[in-house]
Amino acid sequence: MIYDMTNGSPLKMILSFSVPMLIGNIFQQIYNFVDAAVVGKFVGAESLAAVGATSTMMTLAICFMMGMTNGAGIIISQCFGKRSFGELKKTVTSLIYIVIILSVLTSAAGIILARPVLRILNTPERIIDESVKYIRIIFTFMTGTAAYNASGAALRSLGDSRTPLYALIISALLNVALDLLFVVFFKMGVAGAAAATVIAQIISAVFCISHIIRYRKQLNLDGLPRRADKRTVIKIFRTGLPAALESCLIALGTMSVQRLVNSFGPMTIAAYTASTRIDSIAIMPVISIGMSLSVFAGQNMGAGNIDRIKKGLYHTLFALIGICATLAAVIVIFRTRLLGMFLDINVAARAIEVGGRYLTIVCTAYIVAAIMRTYLNVLRGAGDVNTSAVSGITELIARIIFAYILVRPFGSTGIWMATPLAWAAGAVVPVVRYYSGKWKEKRLV
């Protein structure tokens, strides 16, 4: 089903379009969730720490790839809103070439730099070998992740959020089965968890690409050009690089935080790994509704419906505030039980205590994240992509400053406090930019 978001109730369109993306994003997080749960329960807390120590390095690579594909998605959504299908096809072909080249380069860099980067991050010596083994398997097959992100972004920008969902449901279930097979039955440890993840990701990419090929006429993607268009490639980079830079800067900020976390030892790393897995799923409504709002803004920007974009923003923001308040209450109340899915309370009570503090501090600040993401996604969908980079730089600087200042008096709790403070700093940029009105002049097509 393809959504034309230029007509109908804005909030209804945004929420209905976001539901498949929400479910899909949750299933995507199940990859990491299951890896952590299976490794933590069946291999041990130190092996869980080994997997967790790689998370920021993986996030950096994936965020860059997602930034580029989402940048192309903005152009695709505006082409769809304007009904400029010739330009749409050029964008998809150019995106294919970009993703192939970037995924190969990213894989090579990740394999070569795995150990040096993990050492820079203060990864403890007794877990670094397992961390390197895990991350190198992931990076070897980065093409599968890149292909899913590209095909999924194209489909969502055209108004099809269900096909990426179906792909993720299939691959997530496969990932669970393979995790249990490789880690529990074959005793492959962290290598088994990594192998399960990459196989599942490749399946999700194949599913989406097969759907695009099969329904290319309905998607207005029949007769794609064989070669990339130089001007379109430049436009994708101009649009995607700020978003990629924003994501990478946030990831770099997380890496600096990871370095601090690693200095507290394996139990704190395990606590951070488990709690961030819970956090990554809990915040999915904010991310998914924000992505839907970006597509909504893109299609309506292409159609010239500025007033409709404004209406969609305010309706979405009020809905997210209620959702975030509810989520925070549930997580804080059940934080110990949630962490118990990853860690044995009899042998890792300290890790559960530390993780509980993380969830209490971060989850109660989801409303701040919702404000930042709502305004940022409207600007991004409208084509005002440079604001993403500025916001990312602001958030990065704030995260590092607050983490390194607060860690002295508060220990690891000070690191957790830096996250909501960084969100607040990052929110200032898109809010000010939106009310300046300059984003209205940034249409890409």
Side-chain angles (χ1 to χ4, degrees):
M1 180 179 178
I2 296 177
Y3 274 76
D4 180 353
M5 304 179 82
T6 58
N7 295 290
S9 168
L11 183 59
K12 182 179 179 180
M13 295 295 295
I14 291 166
L15 292 180
S16 61
F17 186 70
S18 71
V19 169
M21 286 197 295
L22 171 59
I23 299 171
N25 284 331
I26 289 173
F27 271 96
Q28 191 168 33
Q29 291 300 322
I30 285 176
Y31 288 128
N32 295 328
F33 191 96
V34 172
D35 281 351
V38 172
V39 170
K41 285 288 190 180
F42 293 98
V43 186
E46 288 202 355
S47 292
L48 174 61
V51 172
T54 69
S55 61
T56 51
M57 188 176 174
M58 287 171 53
T59 300
L60 182 63
I62 293 171
C63 282
F64 181 78
M65 199 71 64
M66 288 181 66
M68 293 302 300
T69 56
N70 290 339
I74 294 169
I75 301 173
I76 291 170
S77 65
Q78 291 196 14
C79 287
F80 181 82
K82 192 179 178 181
R83 303 299 187 264
S84 179
F85 298 122
E87 191 170 353
L88 188 154
K89 294 175 184 179
K90 289 181 183 179
T91 304
V92 171
T93 296
S94 299
L95 176 61
I96 292 170
Y97 279 91
I98 290 171
V99 165
I100 292 172
I101 294 171
L102 287 181
S103 62
V104 172
L105 294 175
T106 303
S107 292
I111 293 167
I112 295 169
L113 298 175
R115 190 176 293 273
V117 171
L118 288 169
R119 288 196 184 282
I120 292 172
L121 293 174
N122 281 341
T123 304
E125 282 297 324
R126 64 178 182 264
I127 65 172
I128 195 168
D129 287 339
E130 283 193 299
S131 295
V132 171
K133 183 188 300 183
Y134 182 87
I135 197 68
R136 282 181 172 166
I137 295 172
I138 297 292
F139 271 99
T140 299
F141 298 95
M142 184 61 68
T143 304
T145 302
Y148 169 75
N149 284 325
S151 55
L155 286 167
R156 284 189 292 268
S157 298
L158 292 169
D160 180 4
S161 59
R162 293 188 179 182
T163 300
L165 165 63
Y166 300 149
L168 283 172
I169 290 175
I170 293 170
S171 59
L173 293 175
L174 178 62
N175 186 51
V176 172
L178 292 177
D179 261 325
L180 295 172
L181 179 66
F182 294 157
V183 177
V184 180
F185 185 77
F186 288 124
K187 309 294 183 184
M188 293 172 62
V190 296
T197 296
V198 297
I199 291 171
Q201 288 174 339
I202 291 170
I203 295 299
S204 65
V206 169
F207 187 93
C208 287
I209 293 169
S210 299
H211 179 87
I212 290 173
I213 294 172
R214 183 178 180 184
Y215 296 101
R216 56 190 179 275
K217 289 186 177 180
Q218 293 91 323
L219 295 168
N220 298 294
L221 294 177
D222 56 315
L224 290 177
R226 291 182 179 274
R227 296 182 179 180
D229 178 71
K230 183 179 179 180
R231 286 185 297 179
T232 305
V233 169
I234 294 172
K235 184 187 290 187
I236 290 174
F237 270 92
R238 284 178 177 172
T239 308
L241 276 177
L245 179 61
E246 176 211 358
S247 298
C248 289
L249 287 172
I250 293 172
L252 285 171
T254 305
M255 286 180 75
S256 68
V257 171
Q258 182 78 57
R259 191 173 189 275
L260 280 178
V261 171
N262 291 352
S263 69
F264 283 88
M267 283 299 105
T268 300
I269 298 173
Y272 184 64
T273 302
S275 55
T276 52
R277 294 298 189 267
I278 297 167
D279 173 37
S280 65
I281 291 180
I283 203 169
M284 277 300 117
V286 174
I287 294 174
S288 301
I289 295 173
M291 290 169 63
S292 179
L293 182 60
S294 181
V295 175
F296 172 87
Q299 290 192 10
N300 282 282
M301 193 69 173
N305 297 331
I306 300 296
D307 288 339
R308 183 172 170 80
I309 294 174
K310 294 179 180 180
K311 187 176 180 181
L313 181 146
Y314 291 120
H315 288 187
T316 301
L317 184 58
F318 285 122
L320 277 175
I321 289 173
I323 292 170
C324 289
T326 303
L327 279 171
V330 171
I331 292 170
V332 170
I333 291 170
F334 296 103
R335 60 189 183 279
T336 301
R337 292 184 182 180
L338 291 170
L339 289 164
M341 293 189 292
F342 299 90
L343 299 161
D344 189 335
I345 195 168
N346 296 315
V347 296
R350 172 62 179 165
I352 291 177
E353 179 188 351
V354 173
R357 284 200 297 270
Y358 173 97
L359 292 175
T360 300
I361 292 168
V362 172
C363 294
T364 51
Y366 279 169
I367 291 175
V368 180
I371 293 170
M372 179 179 70
R373 287 290 162 188
T374 300
Y375 283 92
L376 201 55
N377 276 294
V378 165
L379 298 177
R380 187 181 291 134
D384 190 5
V385 292
N386 290 330
T387 303
S388 295
V390 177
S391 178
I393 292 171
T394 305
E395 186 176 348
L396 165 67
I397 294 171
R399 186 181 299 270
I400 294 173
I401 290 174
F402 285 125
Y404 279 83
I405 289 176
L406 296 174
V407 73
R408 291 179 180 272
F410 299 108
S412 61
T413 302
I415 305 175
W416 317 150
M417 292 164 64
T419 295
L421 291 172
W423 286 342
V428 172
V429 176
V431 171
V432 171
R433 180 66 171 180
Y434 176 83
Y435 288 108
S436 75
K438 295 180 180 179
W439 59 275
K440 302 173 188 177
E441 304 165 3
K442 297 293 182 177
R443 187 163 59 176
L444 298 172
V445 298

